[in-house]
Amino acid sequence: QVQLVESGGGLVQAGGSLRLSCVVSGTIFSINAMGWYRQAPGKQRELVAFITSGGSTNYADSVKGRSTISRDHAKNAVYLQMNSLTPEDTAVYYCNAVVRIMIVTTPKDYWGKGTLVTVSS
């Protein structure tokens, strides 16, 4: 009923930049928080950044100051601009959205399938 599709991953050299995009589609009454998580090989999935419906943001310390999360309510989209990338940023990046599909339902977490970001040294 709800689909999240990420795009924008790829191979980039250290010091470079990437902009990840995620669009939410399907049966949507409202979207609360949206965010980005990542999972590096052999590591647990971790929060990168999230943004509330009101526009408040929060970042992991590892990306603070070089990443910006934003959203477009009209497009049901969330973006992550990442600059000054390092090999430690290499991971699969997952989009997350807390979606209410009907006014009478409780919001639930939905996830995209992920997009791979590889940073070469």
Side-chain angles (χ1 to χ4, degrees):
Q1 286 180 314
V2 176
Q3 298 84 39
L4 281 69
V5 179
E6 304 103 332
S7 61
L11 176 63
V12 63
Q13 288 189 328
S17 299
L18 275 180
R19 185 176 189 246
L20 304 180
S21 302
C22 172
V23 176
V24 185
S25 62
T27 304
I28 300 168
F29 175 76
S30 64
I31 302 176
N32 296 348
M34 304 181 79
W36 290 94
Y37 290 72
R38 68 185 180 186
Q39 187 166 18
K43 295 187 177 181
Q44 290 187 330
R45 189 174 298 191
E46 62 177 3
L47 173 69
V48 178
F50 73 81
I51 182 168
T52 68
S53 57
S56 297
T57 59
N58 192 48
Y59 297 90
D61 288 342
S62 58
V63 304
K64 197 175 295 183
R66 59 187 184 93
S67 297
T68 302
I69 189 170
S70 60
R71 64 189 287 178
D72 184 327
H73 290 271
K75 297 181 179 180
N76 291 334
V78 62
Y79 309 98
L80 182 68
Q81 175 70 40
M82 299 185 67
N83 303 319
S84 302
L85 288 163
T86 73
E88 287 67 38
D89 294 312
T90 295
V92 177
Y93 285 71
Y94 296 92
C95 177
N96 169 264
V98 181
V99 180
R100 185 191 297 266
I101 62 171
M102 296 173 60
I103 192 170
V104 296
T105 60
T106 56
K108 288 178 55 179
D109 273 305
Y110 292 89
W111 294 88
K113 294 183 179 181
T115 184
L116 177 62
V117 173
T118 303
V119 184
S120 63
S121 58

